[in-house]
Amino acid sequence: MKSRLVWIAQHSIGIALTIMFMGPVVFIVLTSLMSGEQALTANFWPTSWHPENYVEVFQRTPMPRYLLNTILYAGGATGAMLLASVPTAYALAKIKFKGRTTMFLAVICMMMLPPQVVTVPLYLMWAKVGLTGTLWPLIIPMLLGDAFSIFLLRQFLLTIPDEYLDAARVDGCGEWKTLLRVVLPMAKPGIAATAMFQFFYAWNDYYGPLLYTSENESNWTLSLGLASFRSLHHVEWNLVMAATVLVMAPVILVFFLAQKAFVEGVTLTGVKG
């Protein structure tokens, strides 16, 4: 009897959490298919279906350009972050050198530093080199690594037994060859999880594009374009919700395609919840 009550309690909590998380998404999708008049009422279910709302969003906004800019930002920032963060995390996790602990503490301190603290000096620096109004100020800094990504990758690399690396070194591999041929194949889940964290952050980032590209609409991302669209069409909730669905759909698709690697990577790095 007790086990049955526990089973019911566990599944009840799961159902309640599912409704809590999926409820807003279902509401957005249903509203995006309503007429403009019905979207202003309290009705939850569409009385008539209007998939042409999605076509109208494309007609009123340069959505393909926003999408391309977002892919360039998210893809470029993620690739640059991996190029810099993977070797740094490997050095902090597997190479013994003087000052390693101090460098790791510096990474931890960088994680705690609010990005708003350096906003003004960074903006002035990019303005002096003439790159404001472009996406480069959002991508180039990733070539120096990201503190959270370095921490996450280091935690994952610590789970790889040192015996594999020692065997590669005995066979004559240097540190770079050991990293490329031994560590990277074994660290795919951690790298995938870290890449997805960075990709989702860049995809949903509003503050960065607003700061650096607001003066040049041709470089706006989806988040900035969606905010502008909501301001211009704030009473046409069906169109606003259709634009929101179009912005969310690629991220949801990417998550479901890479869900297994993401969950495995997050679990093995110990970053849960």
Side-chain angles (χ1 to χ4, degrees):
M1 184 65 182
K2 183 179 178 181
S3 61
R4 185 176 298 176
L5 290 175
V6 171
W7 185 90
I8 293 173
Q10 289 177 337
H11 287 76
S12 299
I13 293 173
I15 293 171
L17 290 174
T18 302
I19 294 173
M20 184 175 69
F21 284 109
M22 290 301 298
V25 177
V26 173
F27 174 76
I28 291 172
V29 173
L30 291 176
T31 306
S32 71
L33 295 169
M34 293 179 179
S35 65
E37 294 75 16
Q38 191 190 354
L40 296 175
T41 66
N43 294 335
F44 183 76
W45 193 261
T47 54
S48 60
W49 299 87
H50 296 272
E52 66 272 12
N53 290 338
Y54 291 91
V55 179
E56 194 168 348
V57 170
F58 279 94
Q59 292 174 341
R60 294 195 185 189
T61 62
M63 191 64 73
R65 191 171 67 206
Y66 295 158
L67 177 62
L68 178 61
N69 291 335
T70 306
I71 292 174
L72 288 175
Y73 170 32
T78 302
M81 179 277 295
L82 289 177
L83 281 176
S85 298
V86 171
T88 307
Y90 171 70
L92 292 175
K94 295 298 182 183
I95 300 177
K96 295 180 180 179
F97 60 91
K98 190 175 182 181
R100 185 175 70 166
T101 303
T102 304
M103 289 186 63
F104 181 61
L105 290 175
V107 171
I108 298 293
C109 291
M110 290 299 295
M111 288 175 57
M112 299 177 183
L113 185 68
Q116 291 81 5
V117 172
V118 294
T119 294
V120 173
L122 282 178
Y123 183 85
L124 293 175
M125 182 189 75
W126 292 118
K128 284 185 178 179
V129 297
L131 289 180
T132 53
T134 71
L135 293 171
W136 290 116
L138 301 170
I139 298 174
I140 293 176
M142 289 295 108
L143 289 171
L144 301 177
D146 174 68
F148 174 72
S149 302
I150 293 171
F151 172 78
L152 200 65
L153 286 167
R154 176 188 175 273
Q155 298 305 107
F156 185 88
L157 295 180
L158 287 174
T159 64
I160 297 177
D162 291 337
E163 287 75 10
Y164 291 103
L165 282 68
D166 293 337
R169 289 163 183 154
V170 169
D171 289 341
C173 291
E175 293 299 339
W176 280 107
K177 190 176 284 187
T178 302
L179 171 62
L180 295 175
R181 295 192 176 182
V182 179
V183 175
L184 287 188
M186 300 176 70
K188 284 181 181 177
I191 294 173
T194 308
M196 289 186 69
F197 272 121
Q198 177 60 42
F199 186 85
F200 291 158
Y201 169 79
W203 190 279
N204 296 317
D205 185 20
Y206 173 75
Y207 179 73
L210 175 67
L211 181 65
Y212 291 111
T213 68
S214 58
E215 63 195 72
N216 185 3
E217 188 180 354
S218 63
N219 284 324
W220 283 11
T221 58
L222 283 172
S223 57
L224 200 55
L226 178 62
S228 175
F229 186 85
R230 187 177 63 239
S231 301
L232 294 174
H233 307 280
H234 60 278
V235 296
E236 298 175 284
W237 285 109
N238 55 332
L239 298 182
V240 172
M241 296 301 178
T244 304
V245 172
L246 291 173
V247 173
M248 292 192 307
V251 178
I252 295 174
L253 180 63
V254 169
F255 176 78
F256 277 108
L257 289 177
Q259 182 182 17
K260 184 179 178 182
F262 180 76
V263 172
E264 185 179 357
V266 170
T267 302
L268 292 177
T269 50
V271 181
K272 304 177 182 178

